[in-house]
Amino acid sequence: MNAHAASMERPVLKDKTRLGDVGPKIAHAALILGLIALGGSIAWGVTLEGGKPLWKSYLINFAFFTSLTLGGLFFVIIQHVTHAGWSVVVRRVAEAVACNAWLMALLGAGFVLGGGMGSLYEWWHLHPGHGNHLYDIKAPYLNHTFFYIRFVAYFAIWIVLSQYFFRTSVKQDESGDPNLTLAMERRSPLAVILFALSLTFFAVDMLMSLEYAWFSTMFGVYYFAGTAGAFFAVAILTLSFLQGRGLLTESVTKEHYHDLGKLVFAFVVFWCYIAYSQYMLIWYANIPEETFWYQNRLGDGWKGLSLFLLLGHFFGPFLFLMSRWQKRRHGTLLAAAIWMLFMHWIDMFWLVKPGADMPALQSSVFDLTLFIGMGGLWVWALFRRLQDVSLVPERDPRLGESLRFENY
Amino acid sequence: MNTTAASYLDNTGKDPTQRAPLVLGANDLHDVTDKVCGIIENPKPSTGWYVGMAVSLLLLAVLGYSVFYLFFVGVGVWGVNNPVGWGFAIVNFVFWVGIGHAGTLISAILYLFRQTWRTGINRSAEAMTIFAVICAGLFPGIHVGRVWVVYWMFPLPNQMEMWPQFRSPLLWDVFAVSTYFTVSLLFWYTGLVPDIASVRDRAKHRIRQIGYGILAIGWRGSNRHWHRYERAYLILAALSTPLVLSVHSVVSFDFAVAQLPGWHTTIFPPYFVAGAIFSGFAMVVTLLVPARKWLGLEELITLRHLENMNKIILVTGSMVGYAYAMEFFIAWYGGVHEETFAFISRATGPFWWAYWIMVSCNVIFPQLFWFKKLRTSLPAMMVVCLLVNVGMWFERFVITVTSLSSDFLPSSWGYYYPTLIDFTTLIGSFGLFFTLFLLFCRFLPIVAMAEVKMTMPQAHPSKH
């Protein structure tokens, strides 16, 4: 292979790879904004209509930011599984994003312990043996104790995995020991399995069981498809932001953006493939146990939103991102990344909001304020994490490959 | 680069500071051409080839006889009955379409992912794709009953205004499989052109010169030709990528759009695709392990290539395992009595043996590939991959037959007994497949020479 000889030499990074004083400024502003928005929303919303509008919005944003975090974890794991070279300069950002799992755990605990479960999930109030045959069947899975156990398990898995990959990678910045890469590669296949199972059942518990009667074997894959796609958009945005502050200007190039753009495109298509398969099969078989879930999303105003999701999450970005030119131009790629994040948020909204209690489309002010609240904390945690470390894995054995990487 | 004599032929090392070489030994660009072209320039093929061909032709004759007998007597010679109206023919169809997934995945998706190791195996895998799709296409064609009007499968305008049922996934299959076949064939042929030109240029015999000359469509290796070739290759890769997903997704719709318990489940499309890639790679490994030995290609199709394929088998096998688990979980969680019954009945009912063959071959045995020692051992990978082939055939059997044999009404249940002709048709289809593959090994370059050379250090002189 052509890469051998050159990769033996230790590459020299020519650009700024430390956040320096950029970090605290962003982190503080985000923290203050986040705390005000989150605290204000909860204080105001918790008594409003029994807290229901608040908790729905909370769940939308919780599912959204958790999925960005998980997207980061997925990216890190998959790079190690495949022994990827091109992505080394991008990986530190993903490692830090994944580490936000602890923040999502706290926010999730707030939801579960603060009354979100009781407010949104019908099954939370049901007891077996009271004549609800369907719930009687599901009770061994959908009960409080088992739910708590699973919830703790998901976040424990994500926190342990994200901390492991982040810390090992940072350790390598100092020692440059290639054995650390080997260690991470060795553990990554197991991480993939844990990730796949935890993400699937997280989606089942937090989103699918909102309608406890409804079921779809595809649901976990659907949440995953949006998750992975959204992370690439986050990576594009974060790297652009850092480069705008004069960081990583040499190591991250148009080539890396181009690849991230390709991955956004790929997951635009994959998401649509999954969404279409799920919808078409349920529509075609036309069994009432399944169709009611989509029926809820075709009511007053919801139909428009469903169509918007189809156009905005698939057709628009599919056509927009198809050409090489759009992916290699900074402005167009950035616009696409922002749009895809917006559409992913709409997707979460579309999953959480509709239901028998909401026949017509309604948005609430908490949708926005909690986005700002959780988003602020999320950005704060991300920049805190990146503050004291290099923004690229400086001594990764494949750094040279990543720096030299070119799309031809 | 630094392959020492001790590690000769083993390039499966993991050293992250350097990428392992894909062509081993002291081969330069010319040696690659010599090695690959040598196989087809040899005036007499090996005895092994003749033996293989004899067996394959015998099996092909068995297929020919089975099909003739079927046409002569009718579909009643098969074991299909009421309620199991879909028997071996559909199982074989789905099985062969599945086998036909590895080639295009290797050529298209791994190309887009810049996996240069694909170059050693893509040509033969693509050939297998095409031959497998031919085998697959046979089965719906002979299952229609009135074979003399088989062209009615296509929506051809006619004075009777008779049209196929556009709402049926079986018609979508006609489009999906024929599109896949066409694009795979074009893709394969496009990649072959520069290599066929090499064969043409080396040919000594007039007939060879003319034959390969026509197939090489005027390739002269000019810059302009290479430029167009690379563009065409990229575009075909981009077109093939969604096709890898769509074909088996549409095949899965044959089952999943129905309301039959065990068939109607939303995860079917990606699950079928993963299963198809799983079985396709198993077939590629099964054929390449002996082929590389007999044809002396161990330095081009290296242990690393095989190990990587085994890793893909492990990944896709795990995806299939995930799908089995989700199906079971949702069959219970959904709380629909018939659905729960269908799944319990698969594991413990009259076809329990088929179910456990499927689970052990598809989920349990591939786990052996977690161990590097086993996934780099030729005998071990042969055994596991053969078992995967068996397991994936049984998966389709389990899906098709168990659900049909016991649906909602116990009074309409029935068992399914395949007949001798069912078995001879299945075994015969392997004859068709192997005959085509052996002809390919004899007459076309089985390794993509031009592409392999691009991955060799000699192709990048400036870097050294």
Side-chain angles (χ1 to χ4, degrees), chain B residues 349-385:
Chain B
F351 291 100
W352 62 271
W353 47 274
Y355 181 83
W356 290 105
I357 292 176
M358 166 187 106
V359 169
S360 51
C361 290
N362 291 349
V363 183
I364 298 172
F365 287 113
Q367 304 308 322
L368 295 173
F369 282 159
W370 281 100
F371 305 101
K372 184 172 166 119
K373 210 170 202 143
L374 293 172
R375 66 171 185 261
T376 53
S377 140
L378 297 177
M381 72 177 85
M382 274 303 275
V383 170
V384 171
C385 289

Short mmCIF file of all heavy atoms in Angstrom, two decimals, chain B residues 349-385:
data_model
loop_
_atom_site.label_atom_id
_atom_site.label_comp_id
_atom_site.label_asym_id
_atom_site.label_seq_id
_atom_site.Cartn_x
_atom_site.Cartn_y
_atom_site.Cartn_z
N GLY B 349 -42.80 -26.37 17.16
CA GLY B 349 -43.86 -27.06 16.43
C GLY B 349 -43.34 -28.14 15.51
O GLY B 349 -42.20 -28.62 15.67
N PRO B 350 -44.13 -28.51 14.53
CA PRO B 350 -43.75 -29.63 13.65
C PRO B 350 -42.47 -29.38 12.85
O PRO B 350 -41.81 -30.33 12.44
CB PRO B 350 -44.96 -29.77 12.72
CG PRO B 350 -45.79 -28.55 12.90
CD PRO B 350 -45.48 -28.00 14.24
N PHE B 351 -42.13 -28.12 12.63
CA PHE B 351 -40.90 -27.85 11.85
C PHE B 351 -39.76 -27.41 12.76
O PHE B 351 -38.87 -26.67 12.34
CB PHE B 351 -41.16 -26.80 10.78
CG PHE B 351 -42.06 -27.28 9.68
CD1 PHE B 351 -43.41 -26.95 9.67
CD2 PHE B 351 -41.58 -28.08 8.66
CE1 PHE B 351 -44.24 -27.40 8.66
CE2 PHE B 351 -42.40 -28.52 7.65
CZ PHE B 351 -43.74 -28.18 7.66
N TRP B 352 -39.78 -27.83 14.01
CA TRP B 352 -38.76 -27.37 14.96
C TRP B 352 -37.35 -27.68 14.45
O TRP B 352 -36.43 -26.89 14.65
CB TRP B 352 -38.96 -28.04 16.33
CG TRP B 352 -38.83 -29.53 16.26
CD1 TRP B 352 -39.81 -30.42 15.99
CD2 TRP B 352 -37.62 -30.29 16.40
NE1 TRP B 352 -39.31 -31.70 15.95
CE2 TRP B 352 -37.97 -31.65 16.19
CE3 TRP B 352 -36.30 -29.95 16.67
CZ2 TRP B 352 -37.03 -32.66 16.26
CZ3 TRP B 352 -35.36 -30.97 16.73
CH2 TRP B 352 -35.72 -32.32 16.52
N TRP B 353 -37.20 -28.80 13.77
CA TRP B 353 -35.85 -29.21 13.32
C TRP B 353 -35.29 -28.18 12.34
O TRP B 353 -34.13 -27.82 12.40
CB TRP B 353 -35.90 -30.59 12.69
CG TRP B 353 -37.03 -30.77 11.70
CD1 TRP B 353 -38.31 -31.13 11.99
CD2 TRP B 353 -36.99 -30.51 10.31
NE1 TRP B 353 -39.07 -31.13 10.85
CE2 TRP B 353 -38.28 -30.76 9.79
CE3 TRP B 353 -35.98 -30.10 9.42
CZ2 TRP B 353 -38.60 -30.60 8.44
CZ3 TRP B 353 -36.29 -29.96 8.08
CH2 TRP B 353 -37.59 -30.20 7.60
N ALA B 354 -36.17 -27.68 11.44
CA ALA B 354 -35.70 -26.68 10.47
C ALA B 354 -35.30 -25.41 11.19
O ALA B 354 -34.29 -24.77 10.88
CB ALA B 354 -36.80 -26.39 9.46
N TYR B 355 -36.08 -25.04 12.19
CA TYR B 355 -35.80 -23.81 12.93
C TYR B 355 -34.45 -23.90 13.63
O TYR B 355 -33.64 -22.96 13.59
CB TYR B 355 -36.91 -23.53 13.94
CG TYR B 355 -36.69 -22.27 14.71
CD1 TYR B 355 -37.06 -21.04 14.18
CD2 TYR B 355 -36.06 -22.28 15.96
CE1 TYR B 355 -36.84 -19.87 14.86
CE2 TYR B 355 -35.83 -21.11 16.65
CZ TYR B 355 -36.22 -19.91 16.10
OH TYR B 355 -35.99 -18.74 16.78
N TRP B 356 -34.20 -25.04 14.25
CA TRP B 356 -32.95 -25.13 15.02
C TRP B 356 -31.73 -25.32 14.12
O TRP B 356 -30.63 -24.91 14.48
CB TRP B 356 -33.07 -26.19 16.11
CG TRP B 356 -34.02 -25.69 17.16
CD1 TRP B 356 -35.29 -26.08 17.37
CD2 TRP B 356 -33.78 -24.61 18.08
NE1 TRP B 356 -35.88 -25.33 18.38
CE2 TRP B 356 -34.97 -24.42 18.83
CE3 TRP B 356 -32.68 -23.77 18.35
CZ2 TRP B 356 -35.09 -23.45 19.82
CZ3 TRP B 356 -32.81 -22.82 19.34
CH2 TRP B 356 -34.00 -22.65 20.06
N ILE B 357 -31.93 -25.91 12.95
CA ILE B 357 -30.83 -25.91 11.97
C ILE B 357 -30.50 -24.47 11.60
O ILE B 357 -29.35 -24.04 11.57
CB ILE B 357 -31.22 -26.71 10.70
CG1 ILE B 357 -31.35 -28.19 11.03
CG2 ILE B 357 -30.18 -26.51 9.59
CD1 ILE B 357 -31.84 -29.04 9.87
N MET B 358 -31.56 -23.69 11.34
CA MET B 358 -31.39 -22.29 10.96
C MET B 358 -30.65 -21.51 12.05
O MET B 358 -29.65 -20.84 11.78
CB MET B 358 -32.77 -21.68 10.71
CG MET B 358 -32.78 -20.18 10.63
SD MET B 358 -34.46 -19.54 10.52
CE MET B 358 -34.68 -18.90 12.16
N VAL B 359 -31.13 -21.62 13.29
CA VAL B 359 -30.53 -20.82 14.36
C VAL B 359 -29.08 -21.25 14.60
O VAL B 359 -28.19 -20.40 14.72
CB VAL B 359 -31.36 -20.93 15.66
CG1 VAL B 359 -30.59 -20.33 16.83
CG2 VAL B 359 -32.68 -20.22 15.49
N SER B 360 -28.84 -22.55 14.62
CA SER B 360 -27.46 -22.94 14.92
C SER B 360 -26.52 -22.56 13.79
O SER B 360 -25.42 -22.06 14.03
CB SER B 360 -27.38 -24.44 15.24
OG SER B 360 -28.02 -25.16 14.22
N CYS B 361 -26.95 -22.73 12.55
CA CYS B 361 -26.05 -22.42 11.43
C CYS B 361 -25.87 -20.90 11.24
O CYS B 361 -24.81 -20.45 10.83
CB CYS B 361 -26.58 -23.00 10.13
SG CYS B 361 -26.48 -24.77 10.06
N ASN B 362 -26.91 -20.13 11.49
CA ASN B 362 -26.83 -18.70 11.18
C ASN B 362 -26.37 -17.85 12.36
O ASN B 362 -25.79 -16.79 12.17
CB ASN B 362 -28.19 -18.16 10.73
CG ASN B 362 -28.57 -18.70 9.39
OD1 ASN B 362 -27.75 -19.29 8.71
ND2 ASN B 362 -29.81 -18.49 9.01
N VAL B 363 -26.69 -18.29 13.55
CA VAL B 363 -26.39 -17.44 14.69
C VAL B 363 -25.28 -18.03 15.55
O VAL B 363 -24.38 -17.31 15.98
CB VAL B 363 -27.66 -17.20 15.55
CG1 VAL B 363 -27.35 -16.25 16.69
CG2 VAL B 363 -28.77 -16.62 14.69
N ILE B 364 -25.33 -19.33 15.78
CA ILE B 364 -24.37 -19.90 16.74
C ILE B 364 -23.00 -20.14 16.10
O ILE B 364 -21.99 -19.62 16.56
CB ILE B 364 -24.94 -21.19 17.36
CG1 ILE B 364 -26.23 -20.83 18.11
CG2 ILE B 364 -23.93 -21.83 18.30
CD1 ILE B 364 -27.03 -22.00 18.61
N PHE B 365 -22.96 -20.88 14.98
CA PHE B 365 -21.65 -21.20 14.40
C PHE B 365 -20.85 -19.97 13.93
O PHE B 365 -19.64 -19.92 14.14
CB PHE B 365 -21.80 -22.22 13.27
CG PHE B 365 -22.10 -23.59 13.78
CD1 PHE B 365 -23.32 -24.19 13.54
CD2 PHE B 365 -21.16 -24.27 14.55
CE1 PHE B 365 -23.61 -25.44 14.04
CE2 PHE B 365 -21.44 -25.53 15.06
CZ PHE B 365 -22.67 -26.12 14.80
N PRO B 366 -21.48 -18.97 13.33
CA PRO B 366 -20.66 -17.82 12.93
C PRO B 366 -19.96 -17.13 14.10
O PRO B 366 -18.99 -16.41 13.91
CB PRO B 366 -21.68 -16.87 12.27
CG PRO B 366 -22.77 -17.75 11.82
CD PRO B 366 -22.85 -18.86 12.81
N GLN B 367 -20.44 -17.37 15.34
CA GLN B 367 -19.77 -16.74 16.49
C GLN B 367 -18.33 -17.22 16.62
O GLN B 367 -17.51 -16.56 17.26
CB GLN B 367 -20.53 -17.03 17.79
CG GLN B 367 -21.99 -16.61 17.79
CD GLN B 367 -22.21 -15.18 17.37
OE1 GLN B 367 -21.41 -14.30 17.72
NE2 GLN B 367 -23.24 -14.92 16.59
N LEU B 368 -18.03 -18.36 16.00
CA LEU B 368 -16.64 -18.85 16.04
C LEU B 368 -15.69 -17.82 15.40
O LEU B 368 -14.51 -17.78 15.72
CB LEU B 368 -16.53 -20.18 15.29
CG LEU B 368 -17.29 -21.35 15.92
CD1 LEU B 368 -17.24 -22.55 15.00
CD2 LEU B 368 -16.68 -21.69 17.27
N PHE B 369 -16.24 -17.00 14.52
CA PHE B 369 -15.38 -16.01 13.85
C PHE B 369 -14.94 -14.88 14.78
O PHE B 369 -14.21 -13.98 14.37
CB PHE B 369 -16.09 -15.44 12.63
CG PHE B 369 -16.06 -16.37 11.44
CD1 PHE B 369 -16.99 -16.24 10.42
CD2 PHE B 369 -15.10 -17.35 11.33
CE1 PHE B 369 -16.97 -17.08 9.32
CE2 PHE B 369 -15.07 -18.21 10.23
CZ PHE B 369 -16.01 -18.07 9.23
N TRP B 370 -15.41 -14.89 16.02
CA TRP B 370 -14.87 -13.92 16.98
C TRP B 370 -13.39 -14.22 17.23
O TRP B 370 -12.64 -13.34 17.63
CB TRP B 370 -15.61 -13.99 18.31
CG TRP B 370 -16.94 -13.29 18.29
CD1 TRP B 370 -18.16 -13.87 18.14
CD2 TRP B 370 -17.19 -11.89 18.42
NE1 TRP B 370 -19.14 -12.91 18.17
CE2 TRP B 370 -18.57 -11.69 18.33
CE3 TRP B 370 -16.37 -10.77 18.58
CZ2 TRP B 370 -19.17 -10.44 18.41
CZ3 TRP B 370 -16.95 -9.51 18.66
CH2 TRP B 370 -18.33 -9.36 18.58
N PHE B 371 -13.02 -15.48 17.03
CA PHE B 371 -11.64 -15.86 17.33
C PHE B 371 -10.80 -15.76 16.06
O PHE B 371 -11.10 -16.40 15.06
CB PHE B 371 -11.60 -17.29 17.88
CG PHE B 371 -12.48 -17.45 19.07
CD1 PHE B 371 -13.73 -18.05 18.96
CD2 PHE B 371 -12.09 -16.96 20.30
CE1 PHE B 371 -14.56 -18.18 20.06
CE2 PHE B 371 -12.91 -17.07 21.42
CZ PHE B 371 -14.15 -17.69 21.29
N LYS B 372 -9.76 -14.97 16.16
CA LYS B 372 -8.92 -14.73 14.98
C LYS B 372 -8.36 -16.04 14.43
O LYS B 372 -8.27 -16.23 13.22
CB LYS B 372 -7.80 -13.79 15.36
CG LYS B 372 -6.94 -13.43 14.16
CD LYS B 372 -5.95 -12.37 14.48
CE LYS B 372 -4.94 -12.34 13.35
NZ LYS B 372 -4.86 -11.12 12.64
N LYS B 373 -8.02 -16.92 15.33
CA LYS B 373 -7.44 -18.18 14.92
C LYS B 373 -8.39 -18.92 13.97
O LYS B 373 -7.98 -19.53 12.99
CB LYS B 373 -7.18 -19.04 16.16
CG LYS B 373 -6.01 -19.95 15.97
CD LYS B 373 -5.59 -20.61 17.24
CE LYS B 373 -4.15 -21.05 17.11
NZ LYS B 373 -3.40 -20.91 18.31
N LEU B 374 -9.67 -18.88 14.30
CA LEU B 374 -10.63 -19.62 13.49
C LEU B 374 -10.99 -18.88 12.21
O LEU B 374 -11.18 -19.50 11.17
CB LEU B 374 -11.90 -19.89 14.31
CG LEU B 374 -11.67 -20.86 15.47
CD1 LEU B 374 -12.89 -20.93 16.36
CD2 LEU B 374 -11.33 -22.24 14.94
N ARG B 375 -11.05 -17.54 12.28
CA ARG B 375 -11.45 -16.86 11.05
C ARG B 375 -10.29 -16.73 10.06
O ARG B 375 -10.48 -16.30 8.93
CB ARG B 375 -12.12 -15.50 11.32
CG ARG B 375 -11.28 -14.46 11.93
CD ARG B 375 -11.97 -13.09 11.97
NE ARG B 375 -11.00 -12.14 12.46
CZ ARG B 375 -10.95 -11.72 13.72
NH1 ARG B 375 -11.83 -12.12 14.60
NH2 ARG B 375 -10.00 -10.89 14.09
N THR B 376 -9.08 -17.11 10.51
CA THR B 376 -7.98 -17.14 9.55
C THR B 376 -7.56 -18.58 9.23
O THR B 376 -6.53 -18.78 8.59
CB THR B 376 -6.76 -16.36 10.06
OG1 THR B 376 -6.44 -16.86 11.35
CG2 THR B 376 -7.02 -14.87 10.16
N SER B 377 -8.34 -19.52 9.71
CA SER B 377 -8.01 -20.92 9.40
C SER B 377 -8.87 -21.40 8.24
O SER B 377 -10.10 -21.30 8.29
CB SER B 377 -8.24 -21.78 10.64
OG SER B 377 -8.81 -23.01 10.27
N LEU B 378 -8.23 -21.89 7.20
CA LEU B 378 -8.98 -22.27 6.00
C LEU B 378 -10.01 -23.37 6.27
O LEU B 378 -11.17 -23.22 5.88
CB LEU B 378 -8.03 -22.68 4.88
CG LEU B 378 -7.09 -21.58 4.38
CD1 LEU B 378 -6.14 -22.13 3.33
CD2 LEU B 378 -7.87 -20.41 3.81
N PRO B 379 -9.62 -24.48 6.96
CA PRO B 379 -10.65 -25.51 7.20
C PRO B 379 -11.82 -24.97 8.03
O PRO B 379 -12.97 -25.23 7.71
CB PRO B 379 -9.88 -26.59 7.98
CG PRO B 379 -8.45 -26.31 7.76
CD PRO B 379 -8.29 -24.87 7.44
N ALA B 380 -11.49 -24.18 9.07
CA ALA B 380 -12.56 -23.67 9.93
C ALA B 380 -13.52 -22.79 9.14
O ALA B 380 -14.74 -22.90 9.25
CB ALA B 380 -11.97 -22.89 11.10
N MET B 381 -12.96 -21.91 8.29
CA MET B 381 -13.86 -21.00 7.57
C MET B 381 -14.69 -21.76 6.54
O MET B 381 -15.84 -21.42 6.29
CB MET B 381 -13.11 -19.81 6.98
CG MET B 381 -12.24 -20.07 5.80
SD MET B 381 -11.51 -18.53 5.16
CE MET B 381 -10.08 -18.31 6.16
N MET B 382 -14.10 -22.80 5.95
CA MET B 382 -14.88 -23.61 5.00
C MET B 382 -16.09 -24.23 5.70
O MET B 382 -17.21 -24.18 5.19
CB MET B 382 -14.03 -24.74 4.43
CG MET B 382 -13.21 -24.37 3.23
SD MET B 382 -14.18 -23.72 1.89
CE MET B 382 -14.69 -25.23 1.07
N VAL B 383 -15.84 -24.79 6.87
CA VAL B 383 -16.93 -25.46 7.59
C VAL B 383 -18.01 -24.45 7.96
O VAL B 383 -19.20 -24.64 7.69
CB VAL B 383 -16.38 -26.18 8.85
CG1 VAL B 383 -17.53 -26.67 9.72
CG2 VAL B 383 -15.49 -27.32 8.45
N VAL B 384 -17.58 -23.34 8.56
CA VAL B 384 -18.58 -22.35 9.01
C VAL B 384 -19.36 -21.81 7.82
O VAL B 384 -20.59 -21.69 7.86
CB VAL B 384 -17.89 -21.22 9.79
CG1 VAL B 384 -18.89 -20.09 10.08
CG2 VAL B 384 -17.32 -21.74 11.09
N CYS B 385 -18.66 -21.51 6.72
CA CYS B 385 -19.35 -20.91 5.58
C CYS B 385 -20.31 -21.91 4.92
O CYS B 385 -21.39 -21.52 4.49
CB CYS B 385 -18.37 -20.36 4.58
SG CYS B 385 -17.57 -18.88 5.22
#
